[in-house]
Amino acid sequence: RENTFAFNLARVYRFQGKYKEVLELLRDLEYEDIGYNLLAKSMVMMTYYDLDEYDALESFIESFRVFLNRHKNIATLRRRSYLNWIRYVRRLTRLLPNDKAGVQSLQEEVERNKSTIANHAWVLEKLNELR
């Protein structure tokens, strides 16, 4: 119950833009339910991105990737969609500030493949912010 409360409070904080509070609530939580685990880890990744904490994000991405590969109880399509999302977040963080062609190219690729990418709407939102 406490983990569920912390998760939902973190969601509220995220929408309020209280990113430090989100990280405090979610950083060390582990859920028995794999769905909550994936959602919480996704929220941490988004928060690191929004805080421009790219070193922490890169480290967290790697630990998330390992988590996905270790947990064999995650359905193959779900695992693949999160691994794809990780790949696109990495590419998003590596775009140069004024690389309009790179943003356009990545946006078109995400649009084409959005059915195979977890949180694709978030990636597209961040790409739109770079325009």
Side-chain angles (χ1 to χ4, degrees):
R1 278 170 75 166
E2 290 177 26
N3 283 354
T4 301
F5 177 78
F7 173 80
N8 286 309
L9 184 57
R11 290 183 70 192
V12 169
Y13 285 156
R14 178 147 174 66
F15 286 110
Q16 292 176 340
K18 297 178 180 177
Y19 300 125
K20 299 282 186 195
E21 289 86 347
V22 172
L23 293 177
E24 287 175 17
L25 285 168
L26 296 180
R27 193 170 309 162
D28 299 320
L29 284 182
E30 288 292 325
Y31 296 94
E32 289 180 26
D33 179 81
I34 199 72
Y36 269 120
N37 243 324
L38 294 172
L39 291 171
K41 289 181 184 308
S42 296
M43 202 179 329
V44 170
M45 276 182 57
M46 292 174 190
T47 303
Y48 279 138
Y49 181 88
D50 288 333
L51 287 170
D52 297 327
E53 294 284 347
Y54 297 120
D55 290 337
L57 174 60
E58 187 62 35
S59 175
F60 192 83
I61 284 173
E62 186 56 28
S63 70
F64 191 13
R65 187 190 64 74
V66 169
F67 173 88
L68 289 166
N69 288 325
R70 279 192 184 151
H71 286 79
K72 302 302 180 193
N73 59 332
I74 302 172
T76 303
L77 289 176
R78 193 175 202 185
R79 176 182 296 112
R80 190 172 304 135
S81 73
Y82 276 96
L83 289 170
N84 286 339
W85 181 57
I86 285 171
R87 185 168 49 101
Y88 284 107
V89 171
R90 273 191 170 137
R91 289 182 59 194
L92 180 64
T93 62
R94 292 179 178 149
L95 284 171
L96 297 174
N98 293 317
D99 185 4
K100 300 297 182 193
V103 170
Q104 180 67 31
S105 173
L106 187 55
Q107 186 169 11
E108 289 170 3
E109 190 175 335
V110 170
E111 287 285 351
R112 269 193 318 274
N113 299 313
K114 65 183 176 184
S115 65
T116 64
I117 306 168
N119 302 310
H120 69 273
W122 180 86
V123 175
L124 291 171
E125 176 186 323
K126 296 304 165 186
L127 286 166
N128 282 330
E129 289 175 7
L130 293 175
R131 291 181 154 246

